[in-house]
Structures are given as C-alpha cells and as structure tokens.
C-alpha cells in the first residue's frame, strides 16, 4: 500500500537536498517540523497506516543528505516518543515529540554558546570556516558578555557559506576580514582560535565538517592555534560506536565549475566531496551543551546519551 507524503515533507526534503535549508542544526529542525505536519494532517485510518506513512516521510527526509547525523538523530528522537493505540494518540505524541525536539534544539544551542564563550577572551581573534550556527552561538554569547572580538572568515568554496558567517558576525558588531580559502595558513598567525562547527562527530572524537576543515586544523596545530569545535550533542553519531563509518556526501560537479568553463579545459574529472574528517589529535576541544570535552573523551558522553543503540525504525517498509 502506498503512503502519502505530506507536501511540507516534500518541500522540506527538496530544500535540504538543494541546500536552501542548510547547516546540521537547521536541517534537523526543518525535518522535525515536516514530520509534525505529516502527523498533524495525516488521514491514515489505522495505527499501522499512520506509522507506515510516518516511516515513508522520515525516509524521504533522511535520504536527502547522508553526512549530517543531526538528521537521523532528530528523526530518532521523534520516533522514540510516538506512542498510543489510536491514530489520534499517535498523531498527538508525534507532534509533541517534534515540538519537544525544537525546544531542545534551541536550548542546547544557547547552553553551548554560553560554554564556548568562556573560551573567548576580550580582544581575541577567531578564524572561521563555513557557516555554523553552533560556532556563532559562542560568539554571540561572548558579545553579550561585553567581550570585543574580531574575525578572519574563510569564504569556503565551493558554495561560499563564509559569506553568511561574515554577515552574521557583522550583525554582532564583530569586525570581519574575509579571505580566500588558500590564505588561511597566512592568517593563522593572527588568530587566537580556529572556531568551527560539525556535521557529525564519531566515537573516536573525529570531526566531520565542511571540506577544508582538516587542512585548516593541521595547519593550526602546527602553529599552536587552538582548534575549537562547537557541536551540540545532536551531532554525535551513535552508529560509530559499533564501527559504522560516516558517509561523505559528494555533491554535484556544477557547484565547482560551470559547463562552459569546463568545456574549454578539455576532458577533466571534477570531484566535489562536501565534508572531510579531522582526526582527534588536531582538535583541542569539542564544546557541547553538556560542557567542553577533549575529543578522545566524547565517546563517554555518546554512550551516556545514546547507549549502544542507534535504531532506525523508519527503514522498515
Ligand atoms: P550548524 C554545515 O554543513 C557546515 O559544515 C557547518 O560547520 C555544519 O553544517 C554545522 O552547522 P552544510 O549544511 O549546525 O553547509 O552549527 O553542508 O549550524
């Protein structure tokens, strides 16, 4: 029997896939909202049909981007809270689960920001890569404490999300110097902290983040510049506790080069992996809403929050 996908789920999935909605926290929040619409407007006549519908919608959302674990973690959070014997009860508990998730998302980012801000001293310079709302929450909290900061912002090819970071930092009244990615090494000497976000954190404390993070961290380590990763616990990947690896999303080649330019070059291959993996030895601290952790000890927090399980009930047909 086919299960109807709510238009909100379809639109949300398309926005996530095209990166109109992007950033690990934002895609998790959008997916939760879409699942709430699916549940609230469900016309399923039996509990089984309702659950089937929800699983189909969840699969549509989770399959959009493979790397950010926030997406399956958000869906799992909601599925764990679905309860009841009637469609009305199931509908109500799903919507309540999605709302609780949204609240937790906001609170976690505020709490994380307050902790990350403690690392930033008055007069410090941060160097950023890509656009992370978790990383910016630390800056916002520091600004609220009255600290003055300045920022060196990598533009972050190919999609230049550094431009969003620059705009947000200016809104926080932080002076910004925008640089091309290749200039990062030159500017590391001027920075007190490299401050980045994460899409997924693995059990060994490796940080999966926007492509270019690893070389930035290696360079920063060589110059003794602190590398701080701002990451809500929503980005901890419980599947890695049992040996699963994180799939690195490969995006369309057209993000790197236009057709015309490409044709002029002749026969070339183009690669566009969206993320890379920074090993724990290049990371000084992972700042979460539960405190800051050396990357090697994040596994303890992961076990406490997720146990050994990483069920994916939405994968059942
Ligand atoms: P927040 C982004 O991925 C960046 O890699 C960023 O560091 C990470 O998500 C976390 O973002 P993309 O969606 O959750 O731009 O901190 O590919 O906002």
């Amino acid at each position: 029997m086919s299960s109807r996908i709510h238009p909100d789920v379809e639109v949300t999935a398309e926005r996530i896939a095209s990166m109109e909605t992007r950033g690990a926290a934002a895609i998790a929040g959008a997916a939760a909202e879409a699942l709430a619409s699916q549940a609230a407007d469900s016309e399923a006549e039996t509990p089984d049909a309702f659950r089937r519908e929800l699983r189909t919608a969840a699969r549509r959302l989770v399959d959009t981007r493979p790397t950010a674990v926030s997406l399956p973690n958000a869906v799992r959070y909601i599925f764990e809270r679905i309860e009841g014997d009637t469609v009305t009860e199931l509908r109500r508990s799903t919507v309540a689960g999605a709302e609780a998730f949204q609240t937790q998302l906001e609170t976690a980012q505020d709490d994380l920001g307050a902790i990350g801000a403690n690392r930033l001293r008055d007069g410090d310079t941060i160097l950023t890569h890509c656009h992370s709302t978790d990383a910016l929450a630390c800056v916002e909290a520091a600004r609220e404490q009255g600290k003055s900061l300045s920022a060196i912002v990598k533009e972050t090819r190919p999609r230049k999300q550094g431009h969003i970071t620059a705009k947000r930092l200016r809104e926080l009244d932080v002076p910004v110097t925008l640089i091309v990615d290749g200039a990062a090494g030159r500017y590391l000497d001027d920075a007190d902290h490299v401050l980045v976000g994460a899409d997924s954190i693995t059990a060994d404390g490796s940080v999966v983040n926007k492509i270019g993070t690893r070389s930035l961290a290696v360079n920063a380590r060589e110059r003794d510049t602190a590398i701080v990763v701002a990451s809500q616990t929503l980005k901890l990947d419980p599947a890695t506790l049992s040996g699963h690896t994180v799939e690195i999303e490969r995006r369309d080649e057209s993000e790197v080069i236009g057709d015309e330019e490409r044709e002029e070059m002749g026969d070339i291959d183009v690669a566009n992996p969206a993320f890379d993996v920074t090993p724990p030895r290049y990371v000084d601290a992972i700042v979460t809403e539960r405190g800051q952790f050396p990357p090697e000890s994040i596994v303890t927090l992961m076990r406490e929050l997720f146990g050994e399980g990483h069920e994916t009930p939405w994968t059942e047909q």
Side-chain angles (χ1 to χ4, degrees):
M1 193 193 291
S2 75
S3 296
R4 182 185 148 271
I5 290 192
H6 193 285
D8 284 3
V9 172
E10 199 46 55
V11 169
T12 302
E14 278 163 22
R15 284 193 184 139
I16 294 174
S18 68
M19 290 180 66
E20 198 180 319
T21 302
R22 53 144 299 279
I27 62 179
E33 210 177 308
L35 279 185
S37 299
Q38 179 77 44
D41 296 344
S42 172
E43 287 168 8
E45 286 172 6
T46 64
D48 271 358
F50 177 91
R51 286 182 184 276
R52 202 165 37 243
E53 231 182 68
L54 220 61
R55 290 198 296 267
T56 308
R59 281 197 296 277
R60 176 74 183 98
L61 293 162
V62 168
D63 289 347
T64 50
R65 296 197 73 192
T67 304
V69 74
S70 51
L71 205 45
N73 279 350
V75 173
R76 186 179 305 105
Y77 180 100
I78 295 167
F79 270 63
E80 279 170 0
R81 284 158 183 80
I82 302 175
E83 56 184 22
D85 299 322
T86 65
V87 172
T88 308
E89 286 167 357
L90 292 171
R91 191 183 285 133
R92 197 177 298 138
S93 59
T94 308
V95 172
E99 281 169 3
F101 177 79
Q102 300 279 12
T103 309
Q104 184 174 298
L105 197 62
E106 272 172 42
T107 314
Q109 197 163 72
D110 288 348
D111 292 349
L112 174 159
I115 293 164
N118 293 334
R119 292 191 65 101
L120 305 174
R121 295 152 307 187
D122 190 33
D124 275 357
T125 298
I126 56 165
L127 193 150
T128 66
H129 182 61
C130 201
H131 168 245
S132 156
T133 54
D134 280 353
L136 285 178
C138 305
V139 177
E140 189 173 351
R143 291 289 298 131
E144 276 164 14
Q145 291 169 359
K147 292 173 186 166
S148 80
L149 301 170
S150 54
I152 299 159
V153 174
K154 286 178 73 189
E155 64 176 352
T156 318
R157 282 276 290 151
R159 296 184 67 105
K160 296 188 180 163
Q161 293 104 321
H163 290 192
I164 313 171
T165 301
K167 192 160 176 270
R168 298 275 180 274
L169 286 168
R170 287 306 298 135
E171 285 162 7
L172 295 170
D173 218 8
V174 173
V176 166
T177 305
L178 182 71
I179 58 169
V180 297
D181 293 321
R186 151 73 182 78
Y187 282 91
L188 272 169
D189 286 339
D190 300 342
D192 300 290
H193 319 259
V194 166
L195 178 60
V196 296
D199 293 81
S200 281
I201 306 247
T202 69
D204 73 348
S206 293
V207 174
V208 186
N209 193 48
K210 183 60 50 183
I211 190 83
T213 304
R214 182 191 162 109
S215 56
L216 177 63
V218 171
N219 256 323
R221 167 65 76 242
E222 204 242 332
R223 284 153 198 250
D224 291 329
T225 308
I227 305 126
V228 182
V229 176
S231 167
Q232 296 177 53
T233 56
L234 181 66
K235 282 90 173 270
L236 303 182
D237 187 344
T240 60
L241 282 167
S242 49
H244 291 275
T245 50
V246 176
E247 182 185 340
I248 301 294
E249 177 180 359
R250 291 187 167 265
R251 295 192 60 83
D252 204 275
E253 296 171 6
S254 62
E255 289 184 346
V256 178
I257 188 163
D259 286 346
E260 228 173 276
E261 242 181 320
R262 185 174 179 166
E263 246 177 64
E264 275 173 25
M265 284 176 198
D267 188 16
I268 56 159
D269 288 330
V270 176
N272 187 18
F275 304 100
D276 61 21
V277 181
T278 303
R281 64 183 179 278
Y282 298 117
V283 176
D284 288 281
I286 298 176
V287 176
T288 78
E289 75 277 16
R290 299 281 295 255
Q292 74 162 18
F293 295 81
E296 292 82 1
S297 73
I298 205 79
V299 64
T300 314
L301 181 64
M302 205 180 272
R303 282 220 167 83
E304 184 192 321
L305 294 172
F306 295 95
E308 291 293 331
H310 65 280
E311 283 76 26
T312 54
W314 56 90
T315 51
E316 290 166 34
Q317 288 298 319

